[in-house]
Amino acid sequence: MATIPQGFSFEIPCASVNGPLSLRDTLLSGQTGQPEWLAVDGSFTDVRVLDGTPVKYALQQVGDRDNFRIRVQVTAINPEEAATNLKDHLSRMLGLKDDLNCFYQKFANEDPALAHTFINLRGLRLMRGPDLFEALICSMLSQNNSVRLLNRSARLMMQHFGRIVSFPDGSKESLFPQAETLARLNSRELRLKTSTGYRAKPIVNVSRKIANGELSLGKLAEDSYDHAVETLLELPGVGPKVADCFLLYGGIHTEAAPVDLWIHRIVLKLYFRGKKVSRLKTARFLRERFLNWAGYAQLYLFDYARRGKVAPT
DNA sequence: TCCCAGGGAGGAT
DNA sequence: ATCCTCCATGGG
């Protein structure tokens, strides 16, 4: 009887990350492309299907924001093989190639408010959701919702409607549901089982468009920012903020800057002297000022605004 | 009990 | 274009 390989682990060295990293801030900053990661005594666990095979892994950052290594524990049928895919997956998902120092240097001088966040949030990176459908649904869940409830609904969707995968150690985990699965539900069932409220109907509707081939998120991801937004806005339950959320956290366009209530408040205060402008203009302002770093600027300002609890103007 | 949450749709002005 | 109101649900 062959022995089951138990603990396999590897490390990502500091040298293969472009600049500082705060794994904790990155995974717990409430980025909407996927359910927020759960921290279990300093370690974060996730389950993904990479190249067709289920992989469970735990991440831990050893060291500080500037001098560190990422410890990765892998559970899979063939851990060594999975590790190869996992390295690419993590690099993309955690934005390890993003040149953070370039971002900081570019705006530290001309933008004092933003520069303030560079100190507190040093190493915070943009997370790209590994799955486009998951990113879209989580973005739709975010409308008029709290981060806490959004995550709760996403987890309930996984538990009730996600495929279950099992691992050599005997554990079973549930994945985020497929579009085809949600497409077969009636919205009432989804609403009652996952506490999604009035968001259930458009979520089922959009899932059906994807399942029957009317909408291809893969093709959408190849489009320009403007054209992609145009397509997204035609979907029920998708407005400007949700569209930008999907494009940013789906890892499609870093120029997308989702403008929610908090971002709107902080941008009006910092850049418009409290003058009232529409959310659409706020979003355009961020894109024009920060270009391909607009998503990052939004990410840092979001945390800054929430932490400071900027009052409505 | 009331207000709010990483908004969107539909309508009226 | 901008400004209402309503929309389910759970937490404070």
Side-chain angles (χ1 to χ4, degrees):
Chain A
M1 179 173 173
T3 54
I4 299 170
Q6 278 297 330
F8 179 84
S9 66
F10 65 93
E11 290 186 345
I12 297 175
C14 200
S16 49
V17 180
N18 199 344
L21 169 71
S22 169
L23 188 63
R24 183 179 179 78
D25 285 343
T26 300
L27 294 177
L28 297 183
S29 54
Q31 303 181 45
T32 318
Q34 49 188 306
E36 190 166 67
W37 286 42
L38 303 172
V40 183
D41 37 72
S43 180
F44 303 91
T45 304
D46 185 34
V47 178
R48 294 287 158 188
V49 174
L50 303 177
D51 200 19
T53 56
V55 181
K56 180 158 70 170
Y57 61 96
L59 302 180
Q60 188 176 15
Q61 180 170 7
V62 183
D64 58 33
R65 294 168 193 243
D66 291 288
N67 201 339
F68 60 86
R69 56 189 194 276
I70 308 170
R71 184 174 296 159
V72 186
Q73 292 181 24
V74 190
T75 307
I77 302 272
N78 186 342
E80 291 88 348
E81 193 178 298
T84 309
N85 293 325
L86 198 47
K87 282 173 190 168
D88 293 336
H89 165 72
L90 290 172
S91 178
R92 179 183 180 280
M93 185 186 67
L94 298 173
L96 300 184
K97 291 181 202 152
D98 298 345
D99 190 349
L100 276 193
N101 285 322
C102 171
F103 173 53
Y104 297 157
Q105 285 165 19
K106 210 171 166 80
F107 300 105
N109 292 326
E110 61 183 77
D111 206 313
L114 197 55
H116 181 74
T117 69
F118 294 163
I119 299 168
N120 282 335
L121 301 175
R122 182 175 177 76
L124 169 61
R125 285 171 185 272
L126 174 64
M127 262 206 291
R128 277 81 163 174
D131 180 76
L132 291 177
F133 180 67
E134 180 174 348
L136 179 58
I137 299 305
C138 287
S139 299
M140 293 179 71
L141 284 177
S142 75
Q143 73 148 267
N144 194 32
N145 206 353
S146 63
V147 176
R148 180 192 172 99
L149 292 181
L150 177 165
N151 282 306
R152 180 170 176 271
S153 289
R155 302 251 172 233
L156 286 169
M157 290 176 72
M158 293 164 71
Q159 289 167 19
H160 285 287
F161 305 113
R163 179 161 78 95
I164 295 174
V165 292
S166 31
F167 292 93
D169 63 3
S171 62
K172 295 180 189 298
E173 306 284 345
S174 54
L175 305 172
F176 196 85
Q178 305 275 116
E180 290 73 18
T181 308
L182 298 188
R184 277 186 238 109
L185 301 175
N186 62 50
S187 59
R188 186 173 182 275
E189 181 184 4
L190 182 65
R191 175 168 63 85
L192 295 178
K193 286 190 176 172
T194 60
S195 301
T196 40
Y198 56 81
R199 306 166 197 84
K201 199 171 289 181
I203 284 175
V204 170
N205 192 316
V206 167
S207 299
R208 286 177 183 161
K209 287 182 192 295
I210 292 170
N212 69 24
E214 188 181 332
L215 171 68
S216 164
L217 295 181
K219 280 186 185 173
L220 188 65
E222 301 297 318
D223 269 335
S224 69
Y225 172 80
D226 288 318
H227 195 283
V229 167
E230 195 179 338
T231 306
L232 285 166
L233 290 183
E234 292 174 4
L235 300 174
V238 178
K241 188 266 175 182
V242 169
D244 275 337
C245 252
F246 168 66
L247 291 175
L248 182 64
Y249 298 119
I252 301 169
H253 292 291
T254 57
E255 66 190 289
V259 174
D260 61 57
L261 178 132
W262 293 97
I263 293 295
H264 193 54
R265 283 177 189 166
I266 193 72
V267 170
L268 291 196
K269 182 180 174 183
L270 294 177
Y271 302 102
F272 287 86
R273 298 178 182 178
K275 194 182 77 162
K276 289 201 174 183
V277 243
S278 68
R279 286 197 182 190
L280 280 175
K281 285 184 179 174
T282 302
R284 197 183 313 143
F285 166 80
L286 289 172
R287 286 198 302 277
E288 288 173 356
R289 182 179 181 89
F290 297 105
L291 305 174
N292 284 334
W293 290 106
Y296 258 99
Q298 181 274 156
L299 183 59
Y300 277 66
L301 287 173
F302 176 67
D303 192 277
Y304 176 72
R306 298 210 56 166
R307 215 174 281 223
K309 298 210 182 304
V310 179
T313 48

